[in-house]
Amino acid sequence: MDLIIKNGTVVTATDTVKADVAIRDGKIVAMGADLPLDGAKVVDAAGKLVLPGAIDVHTHLAMPFGGTTSADGYLAGTRAAACGGVTTVFDYPMQRKGMTIKQVIDSKKAICEKEACIDYAYHCIITDLNDGAILDEMESAVASGITSFKCFFVYKKEGMMVDDGVFARLLLKAKEVGAMLNLHAENPDLIDYNVEKFLAEGKTSAWYHYLSRPEYVEAEADKRAVHWAKHLEAPLYLVHMADKEGLEAAIEAKKENSNIYIETCPQYLEFTSEVYKRDDGRNFVCSPPIKGQESQDALWKAIKNGGIDVVATDHCPFQSHEKDWGINDFTKIPNGCAGIENLYPYMLSAANQGKLSYNQVVALCASNPAKIFGCADKGSIAVGKDADIVIYDPSVDFTISVDNMHSDYDHTIWEGIQVKGYPVQTYSRGRLVYDHGDFVGEPGWGNFVKREKRPTK
Ligand code: URP
Ligand code: ZN
Ligand code: ZN
Ligand code: ZN
């Protein structure tokens, strides 16, 4: 054995047991009471929880967007992730007209091989089918471990939007080749109409970002998407769901197509649209925008009853001076917020306060993402799995501040938010990468996660 984590309480999606965990060569090799020490290094986890590392399946690292590039690159983003108990990140590299999937992925791999501090995987964003060549390439992409793709119903002027025809083709091809299709669902025409109207009326504050794409704008697109997925019997993963009406339609559609999956993000669970009335409202601008109390209540209800499958971050921070571009015009605010280091502590704190169980948090943040996206070695504490482990102290209080985060951004929407309990150590394949407040990992340690394809009928 290389390492034994002793005396802790192991939490999986289904069980909570007192057990020692033994690690050799990056893998969990034994679990049970009083395991022989065998000269291994021993870590005492008495009074602590021993959890699988979180898998953040929604991040945008070094993403060119909104006239700039998101503030966390692969080094800073994965460093911060490790310090928040995340042991695998999924990034969203973007294919553009004329580019192949392989070109996009290879260019990101070259960066991550040097920079990633924890393991990483990619969902490839598709913005143009290249006259059908992309559809043809999807099968070989799946064979190379890229088993999920994404498209956007929005971001027309950024050249990222696809229409319903492209969406349907992607759905059908994903189903054929054993991939998952992820979707950002909002209605672009309603947004354009509202934006034009508000700007003409001189309504330019961050509050009008929200009012230009409120609940019904997201709901229309959610309903359209689940309608297609249901009738084409294709897999569909709805990213960052934030509205009640669309959520309820998606949960209903899951009854007829069990391959529909729903993700939400911590910012939608903690804040409401009221934040857009604040002086710093622009810092909370993301798309879809954070919705009203009714939607937040519906999200929490679905978190608790299993209607929502995954909580991930949509980590896409921008610096203050970039957010400031939109002080007098909400359309100039780069869309996106930070969260990669806050996901697991925030959700575990909710469990610590009795809002849901620790097992549910493990399901939402680790084991469901692993299952849905084909990471066979990840997502649980069990013999044979990668030793991606978080030791969590439920008794400490922690106040989030930009000063105690490990990203490259200069502000966070989570400033001042208090959480109960906090990770004390994170292990990535058995290697300590975070220790009591400090990053102790190394760039280049992270490996590409080659994922398994989904079953095809
Ligand atoms: O505002 C957001 N969410 N920015 C990142 C891109 C996206 O839509 O996920
Ligand atoms: Zn999105
Ligand atoms: Zn129908
Ligand atoms: Zn996103």
Side-chain angles (χ1 to χ4, degrees), residues 11-14 16 49 51-55 84-85 269 300 303-304 308-312 342-369 379 390 392:
V11 182
T12 67
T14 49
T16 305
L49 303 184
L51 309 162
I55 301 177
L269 297 171
W300 271 113
I303 288 270
K304 289 179 206 172
I308 287 175
D309 302 285
V310 172
V311 183
N342 313 111
L343 165 72
Y344 219 18
Y346 177 74
M347 293 305 294
L348 290 165
S349 173
N352 206 346
Q353 294 170 79
K355 242 180 153 168
L356 71 172
S357 70
Y358 286 117
N359 310 87
Q360 284 177 302
V361 175
V362 167
L364 289 160
C365 299
S367 61
N368 290 353
V390 170
Y392 175 80

mmCIF file of all heavy atoms in Angstrom, residues 11-14 16 49 51-55 84-85 269 300 303-304 308-312 342-369 379 390 392:
data_model
loop_
_atom_site.group_PDB
_atom_site.id
_atom_site.type_symbol
_atom_site.label_atom_id
_atom_site.label_comp_id
_atom_site.label_asym_id
_atom_site.label_seq_id
_atom_site.Cartn_x
_atom_site.Cartn_y
_atom_site.Cartn_z
ATOM 1 N N VAL A 11 -18.421 8.092 2.308
ATOM 2 C CA VAL A 11 -19.761 8.393 1.777
ATOM 3 C C VAL A 11 -19.771 8.137 0.274
ATOM 4 O O VAL A 11 -18.942 8.677 -0.466
ATOM 5 C CB VAL A 11 -20.151 9.865 2.037
ATOM 6 C CG1 VAL A 11 -21.558 10.148 1.517
ATOM 7 C CG2 VAL A 11 -20.059 10.199 3.518
ATOM 8 N N THR A 12 -20.700 7.290 -0.156
ATOM 9 C CA THR A 12 -20.937 7.120 -1.594
ATOM 10 C C THR A 12 -22.369 7.559 -1.885
ATOM 11 O O THR A 12 -23.082 8.000 -0.975
ATOM 12 C CB THR A 12 -20.763 5.650 -2.021
ATOM 13 O OG1 THR A 12 -21.811 4.883 -1.423
ATOM 14 C CG2 THR A 12 -19.408 5.092 -1.599
ATOM 15 N N ALA A 13 -22.796 7.407 -3.120
ATOM 16 C CA ALA A 13 -24.165 7.820 -3.468
ATOM 17 C C ALA A 13 -25.203 6.988 -2.725
ATOM 18 O O ALA A 13 -26.332 7.436 -2.510
ATOM 19 C CB ALA A 13 -24.366 7.693 -4.972
ATOM 20 N N THR A 14 -24.801 5.783 -2.320
ATOM 21 C CA THR A 14 -25.792 4.888 -1.700
ATOM 22 C C THR A 14 -25.504 4.542 -0.251
ATOM 23 O O THR A 14 -26.405 4.102 0.459
ATOM 24 C CB THR A 14 -25.864 3.560 -2.499
ATOM 25 O OG1 THR A 14 -24.527 3.078 -2.691
ATOM 26 C CG2 THR A 14 -26.532 3.754 -3.848
ATOM 27 N N THR A 16 -23.176 5.061 3.649
ATOM 28 C CA THR A 16 -22.329 5.831 4.566
ATOM 29 C C THR A 16 -21.772 4.826 5.566
ATOM 30 O O THR A 16 -22.532 4.263 6.350
ATOM 31 C CB THR A 16 -23.176 6.900 5.298
ATOM 32 O OG1 THR A 16 -23.841 7.697 4.307
ATOM 33 C CG2 THR A 16 -22.315 7.793 6.168
ATOM 34 N N LEU A 49 -15.330 13.143 6.818
ATOM 35 C CA LEU A 49 -15.967 12.350 5.764
ATOM 36 C C LEU A 49 -14.941 12.088 4.669
ATOM 37 O O LEU A 49 -14.115 12.960 4.359
ATOM 38 C CB LEU A 49 -17.166 13.089 5.171
ATOM 39 C CG LEU A 49 -18.270 13.501 6.146
ATOM 40 C CD1 LEU A 49 -19.430 14.148 5.382
ATOM 41 C CD2 LEU A 49 -18.760 12.309 6.959
ATOM 42 N N LEU A 51 -14.839 11.271 0.815
ATOM 43 C CA LEU A 51 -15.779 11.398 -0.312
ATOM 44 C C LEU A 51 -15.051 11.200 -1.636
ATOM 45 O O LEU A 51 -13.866 11.531 -1.748
ATOM 46 C CB LEU A 51 -16.369 12.824 -0.343
ATOM 47 C CG LEU A 51 -16.961 13.376 0.944
ATOM 48 C CD1 LEU A 51 -17.071 14.896 0.854
ATOM 49 C CD2 LEU A 51 -18.328 12.761 1.176
ATOM 50 N N PRO A 52 -15.781 10.747 -2.672
ATOM 51 C CA PRO A 52 -15.153 10.785 -3.998
ATOM 52 C C PRO A 52 -14.961 12.235 -4.432
ATOM 53 O O PRO A 52 -15.793 13.095 -4.114
ATOM 54 C CB PRO A 52 -16.165 10.075 -4.899
ATOM 55 C CG PRO A 52 -17.464 10.124 -4.170
ATOM 56 C CD PRO A 52 -17.160 10.236 -2.699
ATOM 57 N N GLY A 53 -13.884 12.516 -5.143
ATOM 58 C CA GLY A 53 -13.698 13.856 -5.679
ATOM 59 C C GLY A 53 -14.864 14.219 -6.586
ATOM 60 O O GLY A 53 -15.436 13.352 -7.249
ATOM 61 N N ALA A 54 -15.210 15.500 -6.600
ATOM 62 C CA ALA A 54 -16.295 15.942 -7.483
ATOM 63 C C ALA A 54 -15.828 15.937 -8.936
ATOM 64 O O ALA A 54 -14.624 16.031 -9.216
ATOM 65 C CB ALA A 54 -16.752 17.338 -7.087
ATOM 66 N N ILE A 55 -16.794 15.777 -9.837
ATOM 67 C CA ILE A 55 -16.515 15.850 -11.273
ATOM 68 C C ILE A 55 -17.304 17.052 -11.788
ATOM 69 O O ILE A 55 -18.534 17.012 -11.840
ATOM 70 C CB ILE A 55 -16.977 14.552 -11.976
ATOM 71 C CG1 ILE A 55 -16.251 13.335 -11.363
ATOM 72 C CG2 ILE A 55 -16.733 14.642 -13.476
ATOM 73 C CD1 ILE A 55 -16.693 11.998 -11.926
ATOM 74 N N GLY A 84 -11.066 22.970 -4.330
ATOM 75 C CA GLY A 84 -12.480 22.874 -3.962
ATOM 76 C C GLY A 84 -12.975 21.436 -3.979
ATOM 77 O O GLY A 84 -14.187 21.203 -3.955
ATOM 78 N N GLY A 85 -12.062 20.463 -4.045
ATOM 79 C CA GLY A 85 -12.481 19.063 -3.981
ATOM 80 C C GLY A 85 -12.926 18.473 -5.306
ATOM 81 O O GLY A 85 -13.522 17.400 -5.348
ATOM 82 N N LEU A 269 -28.963 28.076 -7.396
ATOM 83 C CA LEU A 269 -29.499 27.564 -6.129
ATOM 84 C C LEU A 269 -29.311 28.565 -4.988
ATOM 85 O O LEU A 269 -30.038 28.539 -4.001
ATOM 86 C CB LEU A 269 -28.795 26.247 -5.767
ATOM 87 C CG LEU A 269 -29.012 25.103 -6.768
ATOM 88 C CD1 LEU A 269 -28.100 23.929 -6.448
ATOM 89 C CD2 LEU A 269 -30.472 24.664 -6.774
ATOM 90 N N TRP A 300 -34.543 23.488 -6.144
ATOM 91 C CA TRP A 300 -34.224 22.772 -4.898
ATOM 92 C C TRP A 300 -35.123 21.552 -4.723
ATOM 93 O O TRP A 300 -34.674 20.485 -4.293
ATOM 94 C CB TRP A 300 -34.324 23.703 -3.682
ATOM 95 C CG TRP A 300 -33.023 24.417 -3.399
ATOM 96 C CD1 TRP A 300 -32.773 25.755 -3.520
ATOM 97 C CD2 TRP A 300 -31.798 23.818 -2.958
ATOM 98 N NE1 TRP A 300 -31.469 26.017 -3.176
ATOM 99 C CE2 TRP A 300 -30.851 24.849 -2.822
ATOM 100 C CE3 TRP A 300 -31.408 22.506 -2.669
ATOM 101 C CZ2 TRP A 300 -29.528 24.605 -2.413
ATOM 102 C CZ3 TRP A 300 -30.096 22.266 -2.264
ATOM 103 C CH2 TRP A 300 -29.173 23.318 -2.129
ATOM 104 N N ILE A 303 -33.763 18.942 -6.909
ATOM 105 C CA ILE A 303 -32.497 18.438 -6.354
ATOM 106 C C ILE A 303 -32.810 17.355 -5.322
ATOM 107 O O ILE A 303 -32.201 16.291 -5.288
ATOM 108 C CB ILE A 303 -31.725 19.602 -5.664
ATOM 109 C CG1 ILE A 303 -31.152 20.568 -6.685
ATOM 110 C CG2 ILE A 303 -30.674 19.076 -4.698
ATOM 111 C CD1 ILE A 303 -29.782 20.253 -7.156
ATOM 112 N N LYS A 304 -33.779 17.666 -4.480
ATOM 113 C CA LYS A 304 -34.080 16.747 -3.366
ATOM 114 C C LYS A 304 -34.771 15.477 -3.839
ATOM 115 O O LYS A 304 -34.554 14.403 -3.283
ATOM 116 C CB LYS A 304 -34.957 17.462 -2.334
ATOM 117 C CG LYS A 304 -34.198 18.528 -1.566
ATOM 118 C CD LYS A 304 -35.107 19.224 -0.577
ATOM 119 C CE LYS A 304 -34.613 20.624 -0.292
ATOM 120 N NZ LYS A 304 -35.526 21.428 0.498
ATOM 121 N N ILE A 308 -33.372 16.434 -10.768
ATOM 122 C CA ILE A 308 -32.107 16.960 -11.322
ATOM 123 C C ILE A 308 -31.027 15.900 -11.123
ATOM 124 O O ILE A 308 -30.929 15.294 -10.061
ATOM 125 C CB ILE A 308 -31.737 18.296 -10.647
ATOM 126 C CG1 ILE A 308 -32.685 19.392 -11.166
ATOM 127 C CG2 ILE A 308 -30.276 18.669 -10.882
ATOM 128 C CD1 ILE A 308 -32.523 20.736 -10.518
ATOM 129 N N ASP A 309 -30.232 15.681 -12.180
ATOM 130 C CA ASP A 309 -29.227 14.613 -12.151
ATOM 131 C C ASP A 309 -27.851 15.093 -11.716
ATOM 132 O O ASP A 309 -27.087 14.337 -11.128
ATOM 133 C CB ASP A 309 -29.094 13.999 -13.556
ATOM 134 C CG ASP A 309 -30.418 13.457 -14.039
ATOM 135 O OD1 ASP A 309 -30.818 12.390 -13.552
ATOM 136 O OD2 ASP A 309 -31.076 14.116 -14.878
ATOM 137 N N VAL A 310 -27.516 16.327 -12.084
ATOM 138 C CA VAL A 310 -26.136 16.796 -11.913
ATOM 139 C C VAL A 310 -26.134 18.263 -11.464
ATOM 140 O O VAL A 310 -26.943 19.064 -11.937
ATOM 141 C CB VAL A 310 -25.363 16.696 -13.259
ATOM 142 C CG1 VAL A 310 -23.986 17.346 -13.165
ATOM 143 C CG2 VAL A 310 -25.219 15.230 -13.693
ATOM 144 N N VAL A 311 -25.230 18.586 -10.554
ATOM 145 C CA VAL A 311 -24.919 19.996 -10.283
ATOM 146 C C VAL A 311 -23.478 20.220 -10.737
ATOM 147 O O VAL A 311 -22.566 19.501 -10.309
ATOM 148 C CB VAL A 311 -25.102 20.371 -8.800
ATOM 149 C CG1 VAL A 311 -24.827 21.867 -8.599
ATOM 150 C CG2 VAL A 311 -26.515 20.039 -8.319
ATOM 151 N N ALA A 312 -23.285 21.153 -11.646
ATOM 152 C CA ALA A 312 -21.960 21.513 -12.164
ATOM 153 C C ALA A 312 -21.912 23.036 -12.250
ATOM 154 O O ALA A 312 -22.930 23.696 -12.041
ATOM 155 C CB ALA A 312 -21.730 20.872 -13.527
ATOM 156 N N ASN A 342 -16.193 26.382 -5.649
ATOM 157 C CA ASN A 342 -17.290 26.542 -4.695
ATOM 158 C C ASN A 342 -18.332 25.433 -4.756
ATOM 159 O O ASN A 342 -19.121 25.258 -3.833
ATOM 160 C CB ASN A 342 -17.980 27.892 -4.933
ATOM 161 C CG ASN A 342 -16.989 29.017 -5.082
ATOM 162 O OD1 ASN A 342 -16.820 29.573 -6.160
ATOM 163 N ND2 ASN A 342 -16.275 29.324 -4.007
ATOM 164 N N LEU A 343 -18.341 24.702 -5.885
ATOM 165 C CA LEU A 343 -19.381 23.687 -6.117
ATOM 166 C C LEU A 343 -19.523 22.695 -4.963
ATOM 167 O O LEU A 343 -20.602 22.587 -4.351
ATOM 168 C CB LEU A 343 -19.025 22.909 -7.408
ATOM 169 C CG LEU A 343 -19.772 21.596 -7.649
ATOM 170 C CD1 LEU A 343 -21.206 21.857 -8.038
ATOM 171 C CD2 LEU A 343 -19.082 20.769 -8.751
ATOM 172 N N TYR A 344 -18.454 21.980 -4.664
ATOM 173 C CA TYR A 344 -18.550 20.894 -3.678
ATOM 174 C C TYR A 344 -18.744 21.450 -2.258
ATOM 175 O O TYR A 344 -19.633 21.004 -1.548
ATOM 176 C CB TYR A 344 -17.308 20.009 -3.792
ATOM 177 C CG TYR A 344 -17.526 18.515 -3.650
ATOM 178 C CD1 TYR A 344 -18.779 17.933 -3.800
ATOM 179 C CD2 TYR A 344 -16.444 17.668 -3.377
ATOM 180 C CE1 TYR A 344 -18.949 16.548 -3.678
ATOM 181 C CE2 TYR A 344 -16.598 16.281 -3.261
ATOM 182 C CZ TYR A 344 -17.851 15.734 -3.414
ATOM 183 O OH TYR A 344 -18.011 14.363 -3.299
ATOM 184 N N PRO A 345 -17.950 22.462 -1.859
ATOM 185 C CA PRO A 345 -18.182 23.023 -0.523
ATOM 186 C C PRO A 345 -19.609 23.562 -0.356
ATOM 187 O O PRO A 345 -20.220 23.392 0.704
ATOM 188 C CB PRO A 345 -17.159 24.167 -0.426
ATOM 189 C CG PRO A 345 -16.064 23.752 -1.350
ATOM 190 C CD PRO A 345 -16.736 23.033 -2.481
ATOM 191 N N TYR A 346 -20.143 24.181 -1.401
ATOM 192 C CA TYR A 346 -21.498 24.738 -1.300
ATOM 193 C C TYR A 346 -22.536 23.635 -1.143
ATOM 194 O O TYR A 346 -23.414 23.695 -0.267
ATOM 195 C CB TYR A 346 -21.805 25.588 -2.540
ATOM 196 C CG TYR A 346 -23.215 26.136 -2.531
ATOM 197 C CD1 TYR A 346 -23.567 27.190 -1.694
ATOM 198 C CD2 TYR A 346 -24.203 25.569 -3.331
ATOM 199 C CE1 TYR A 346 -24.866 27.672 -1.651
ATOM 200 C CE2 TYR A 346 -25.499 26.044 -3.305
ATOM 201 C CZ TYR A 346 -25.830 27.095 -2.470
ATOM 202 O OH TYR A 346 -27.112 27.557 -2.422
ATOM 203 N N MET A 347 -22.449 22.599 -1.971
ATOM 204 C CA MET A 347 -23.433 21.521 -1.917
ATOM 205 C C MET A 347 -23.277 20.706 -0.624
ATOM 206 O O MET A 347 -24.266 20.298 -0.012
ATOM 207 C CB MET A 347 -23.309 20.620 -3.150
ATOM 208 C CG MET A 347 -23.694 21.291 -4.465
ATOM 209 S SD MET A 347 -25.358 22.025 -4.476
ATOM 210 C CE MET A 347 -26.384 20.558 -4.333
ATOM 211 N N LEU A 348 -22.025 20.486 -0.217
ATOM 212 C CA LEU A 348 -21.807 19.732 1.024
ATOM 213 C C LEU A 348 -22.284 20.526 2.241
ATOM 214 O O LEU A 348 -22.807 19.953 3.204
ATOM 215 C CB LEU A 348 -20.321 19.375 1.166
ATOM 216 C CG LEU A 348 -19.818 18.328 0.158
ATOM 217 C CD1 LEU A 348 -18.301 18.289 0.114
ATOM 218 C CD2 LEU A 348 -20.380 16.936 0.489
ATOM 219 N N SER A 349 -22.140 21.833 2.160
ATOM 220 C CA SER A 349 -22.641 22.684 3.240
ATOM 221 C C SER A 349 -24.162 22.585 3.330
ATOM 222 O O SER A 349 -24.737 22.549 4.428
ATOM 223 C CB SER A 349 -22.201 24.133 2.992
ATOM 224 O OG SER A 349 -22.789 25.004 3.910
ATOM 225 N N ALA A 350 -24.815 22.508 2.175
ATOM 226 C CA ALA A 350 -26.281 22.338 2.170
ATOM 227 C C ALA A 350 -26.646 21.020 2.855
ATOM 228 O O ALA A 350 -27.607 20.953 3.631
ATOM 229 C CB ALA A 350 -26.814 22.377 0.739
ATOM 230 N N ALA A 351 -25.857 19.978 2.587
ATOM 231 C CA ALA A 351 -26.106 18.682 3.240
ATOM 232 C C ALA A 351 -25.836 18.788 4.741
ATOM 233 O O ALA A 351 -26.612 18.293 5.565
ATOM 234 C CB ALA A 351 -25.221 17.605 2.620
ATOM 235 N N ASN A 352 -24.753 19.458 5.063
ATOM 236 C CA ASN A 352 -24.360 19.637 6.465
ATOM 237 C C ASN A 352 -25.464 20.340 7.257
ATOM 238 O O ASN A 352 -25.642 20.118 8.450
ATOM 239 C CB ASN A 352 -23.074 20.480 6.479
ATOM 240 C CG ASN A 352 -22.225 20.244 7.715
ATOM 241 O OD1 ASN A 352 -22.671 19.656 8.686
ATOM 242 N ND2 ASN A 352 -20.989 20.723 7.663
ATOM 243 N N GLN A 353 -26.241 21.177 6.560
ATOM 244 C CA GLN A 353 -27.325 21.916 7.212
ATOM 245 C C GLN A 353 -28.682 21.225 7.046
ATOM 246 O O GLN A 353 -29.725 21.821 7.326
ATOM 247 C CB GLN A 353 -27.360 23.343 6.673
ATOM 248 C CG GLN A 353 -26.107 24.120 7.078
ATOM 249 C CD GLN A 353 -25.988 25.452 6.369
ATOM 250 O OE1 GLN A 353 -26.649 26.412 6.757
ATOM 251 N NE2 GLN A 353 -25.201 25.488 5.318
ATOM 252 N N GLY A 354 -28.654 19.988 6.521
ATOM 253 C CA GLY A 354 -29.874 19.184 6.486
ATOM 254 C C GLY A 354 -30.781 19.400 5.289
ATOM 255 O O GLY A 354 -31.893 18.877 5.237
ATOM 256 N N LYS A 355 -30.315 20.154 4.282
ATOM 257 C CA LYS A 355 -31.174 20.436 3.126
ATOM 258 C C LYS A 355 -31.327 19.214 2.223
ATOM 259 O O LYS A 355 -32.311 19.076 1.513
ATOM 260 C CB LYS A 355 -30.560 21.592 2.327
ATOM 261 C CG LYS A 355 -31.475 22.792 2.270
ATOM 262 C CD LYS A 355 -30.901 23.932 1.492
ATOM 263 C CE LYS A 355 -32.058 24.749 0.942
ATOM 264 N NZ LYS A 355 -31.692 26.021 0.407
ATOM 265 N N LEU A 356 -30.299 18.384 2.175
ATOM 266 C CA LEU A 356 -30.317 17.112 1.440
ATOM 267 C C LEU A 356 -29.274 16.231 2.117
ATOM 268 O O LEU A 356 -28.637 16.666 3.085
ATOM 269 C CB LEU A 356 -30.043 17.299 -0.053
ATOM 270 C CG LEU A 356 -28.651 17.675 -0.559
ATOM 271 C CD1 LEU A 356 -28.624 17.586 -2.084
ATOM 272 C CD2 LEU A 356 -28.225 19.049 -0.129
ATOM 273 N N SER A 357 -29.116 14.996 1.652
ATOM 274 C CA SER A 357 -28.149 14.121 2.322
ATOM 275 C C SER A 357 -26.775 14.244 1.648
ATOM 276 O O SER A 357 -26.671 14.642 0.486
ATOM 277 C CB SER A 357 -28.626 12.675 2.275
ATOM 278 O OG SER A 357 -28.547 12.190 0.945
ATOM 279 N N TYR A 358 -25.734 13.846 2.390
ATOM 280 C CA TYR A 358 -24.395 13.796 1.786
ATOM 281 C C TYR A 358 -24.381 12.826 0.606
ATOM 282 O O TYR A 358 -23.717 13.066 -0.398
ATOM 283 C CB TYR A 358 -23.352 13.359 2.823
ATOM 284 C CG TYR A 358 -22.999 14.422 3.840
ATOM 285 C CD1 TYR A 358 -23.271 14.236 5.194
ATOM 286 C CD2 TYR A 358 -22.363 15.597 3.447
ATOM 287 C CE1 TYR A 358 -22.931 15.205 6.131
ATOM 288 C CE2 TYR A 358 -22.020 16.564 4.377
ATOM 289 C CZ TYR A 358 -22.308 16.373 5.722
ATOM 290 O OH TYR A 358 -21.959 17.322 6.639
ATOM 291 N N ASN A 359 -25.133 11.724 0.737
ATOM 292 C CA ASN A 359 -25.175 10.751 -0.367
ATOM 293 C C ASN A 359 -25.739 11.409 -1.625
ATOM 294 O O ASN A 359 -25.252 11.154 -2.737
ATOM 295 C CB ASN A 359 -26.056 9.553 0.006
ATOM 296 C CG ASN A 359 -25.688 8.974 1.351
ATOM 297 O OD1 ASN A 359 -26.187 9.442 2.364
ATOM 298 N ND2 ASN A 359 -24.780 8.019 1.374
ATOM 299 N N GLN A 360 -26.743 12.248 -1.454
ATOM 300 C CA GLN A 360 -27.305 12.942 -2.627
ATOM 301 C C GLN A 360 -26.278 13.883 -3.260
ATOM 302 O O GLN A 360 -26.206 13.990 -4.476
ATOM 303 C CB GLN A 360 -28.563 13.721 -2.231
ATOM 304 C CG GLN A 360 -29.785 12.832 -2.030
ATOM 305 C CD GLN A 360 -30.991 13.626 -1.558
ATOM 306 O OE1 GLN A 360 -30.953 14.283 -0.520
ATOM 307 N NE2 GLN A 360 -32.064 13.571 -2.329
ATOM 308 N N VAL A 361 -25.509 14.543 -2.418
ATOM 309 C CA VAL A 361 -24.483 15.445 -2.976
ATOM 310 C C VAL A 361 -23.456 14.638 -3.774
ATOM 311 O O VAL A 361 -23.056 15.030 -4.880
ATOM 312 C CB VAL A 361 -23.793 16.274 -1.862
ATOM 313 C CG1 VAL A 361 -22.654 17.097 -2.447
ATOM 314 C CG2 VAL A 361 -24.799 17.157 -1.153
ATOM 315 N N VAL A 362 -23.050 13.494 -3.228
ATOM 316 C CA VAL A 362 -22.092 12.643 -3.952
ATOM 317 C C VAL A 362 -22.704 12.191 -5.285
ATOM 318 O O VAL A 362 -22.030 12.186 -6.320
ATOM 319 C CB VAL A 362 -21.677 11.442 -3.072
ATOM 320 C CG1 VAL A 362 -20.954 10.389 -3.899
ATOM 321 C CG2 VAL A 362 -20.784 11.920 -1.932
ATOM 322 N N ALA A 363 -23.984 11.838 -5.267
ATOM 323 C CA ALA A 363 -24.637 11.434 -6.523
ATOM 324 C C ALA A 363 -24.628 12.590 -7.524
ATOM 325 O O ALA A 363 -24.220 12.426 -8.681
ATOM 326 C CB ALA A 363 -26.072 10.979 -6.248
ATOM 327 N N LEU A 364 -25.022 13.783 -7.084
ATOM 328 C CA LEU A 364 -25.168 14.932 -7.988
ATOM 329 C C LEU A 364 -23.829 15.447 -8.525
ATOM 330 O O LEU A 364 -23.759 15.912 -9.673
ATOM 331 C CB LEU A 364 -25.857 16.086 -7.241
ATOM 332 C CG LEU A 364 -27.341 15.893 -6.927
ATOM 333 C CD1 LEU A 364 -27.772 16.827 -5.797
ATOM 334 C CD2 LEU A 364 -28.193 16.142 -8.175
ATOM 335 N N CYS A 365 -22.801 15.391 -7.691
ATOM 336 C CA CYS A 365 -21.522 16.019 -8.055
ATOM 337 C C CYS A 365 -20.447 15.021 -8.481
ATOM 338 O O CYS A 365 -19.397 15.436 -8.969
ATOM 339 C CB CYS A 365 -20.982 16.850 -6.882
ATOM 340 S SG CYS A 365 -22.074 18.187 -6.374
ATOM 341 N N ALA A 366 -20.660 13.731 -8.263
ATOM 342 C CA ALA A 366 -19.599 12.768 -8.604
ATOM 343 C C ALA A 366 -20.126 11.535 -9.333
ATOM 344 O O ALA A 366 -19.744 11.275 -10.477
ATOM 345 C CB ALA A 366 -18.844 12.361 -7.335
ATOM 346 N N SER A 367 -21.006 10.771 -8.696
ATOM 347 C CA SER A 367 -21.321 9.472 -9.325
ATOM 348 C C SER A 367 -22.253 9.613 -10.518
ATOM 349 O O SER A 367 -22.073 8.891 -11.511
ATOM 350 C CB SER A 367 -21.841 8.468 -8.293
ATOM 351 O OG SER A 367 -23.011 8.930 -7.701
ATOM 352 N N ASN A 368 -23.240 10.504 -10.464
ATOM 353 C CA ASN A 368 -24.086 10.686 -11.663
ATOM 354 C C ASN A 368 -23.282 11.235 -12.851
ATOM 355 O O ASN A 368 -23.404 10.700 -13.965
ATOM 356 C CB ASN A 368 -25.275 11.608 -11.376
ATOM 357 C CG ASN A 368 -26.308 10.961 -10.465
ATOM 358 O OD1 ASN A 368 -26.211 9.784 -10.152
ATOM 359 N ND2 ASN A 368 -27.287 11.733 -10.031
ATOM 360 N N PRO A 369 -22.486 12.289 -12.661
ATOM 361 C CA PRO A 369 -21.672 12.763 -13.798
ATOM 362 C C PRO A 369 -20.795 11.654 -14.375
ATOM 363 O O PRO A 369 -20.661 11.532 -15.594
ATOM 364 C CB PRO A 369 -20.818 13.888 -13.205
ATOM 365 C CG PRO A 369 -21.480 14.289 -11.944
ATOM 366 C CD PRO A 369 -22.346 13.155 -11.482
ATOM 367 N N GLY A 379 -15.791 8.682 -9.754
ATOM 368 C CA GLY A 379 -17.116 9.002 -9.222
ATOM 369 C C GLY A 379 -17.553 8.261 -7.988
ATOM 370 O O GLY A 379 -18.651 8.512 -7.497
ATOM 371 N N VAL A 390 -11.658 13.128 -1.479
ATOM 372 C CA VAL A 390 -11.685 14.372 -0.699
ATOM 373 C C VAL A 390 -11.914 14.015 0.764
ATOM 374 O O VAL A 390 -12.814 13.229 1.076
ATOM 375 C CB VAL A 390 -12.815 15.296 -1.201
ATOM 376 C CG1 VAL A 390 -13.005 16.478 -0.253
ATOM 377 C CG2 VAL A 390 -12.508 15.793 -2.600
ATOM 378 N N TYR A 392 -13.153 15.607 4.105
ATOM 379 C CA TYR A 392 -14.012 16.766 4.387
ATOM 380 C C TYR A 392 -14.251 16.868 5.887
ATOM 381 O O TYR A 392 -14.641 15.886 6.529
ATOM 382 C CB TYR A 392 -15.330 16.550 3.642
ATOM 383 C CG TYR A 392 -16.412 17.570 3.890
ATOM 384 C CD1 TYR A 392 -16.401 18.810 3.233
ATOM 385 C CD2 TYR A 392 -17.475 17.298 4.750
ATOM 386 C CE1 TYR A 392 -17.414 19.733 3.433
ATOM 387 C CE2 TYR A 392 -18.497 18.222 4.943
ATOM 388 C CZ TYR A 392 -18.455 19.432 4.289
ATOM 389 O OH TYR A 392 -19.470 20.351 4.482
#
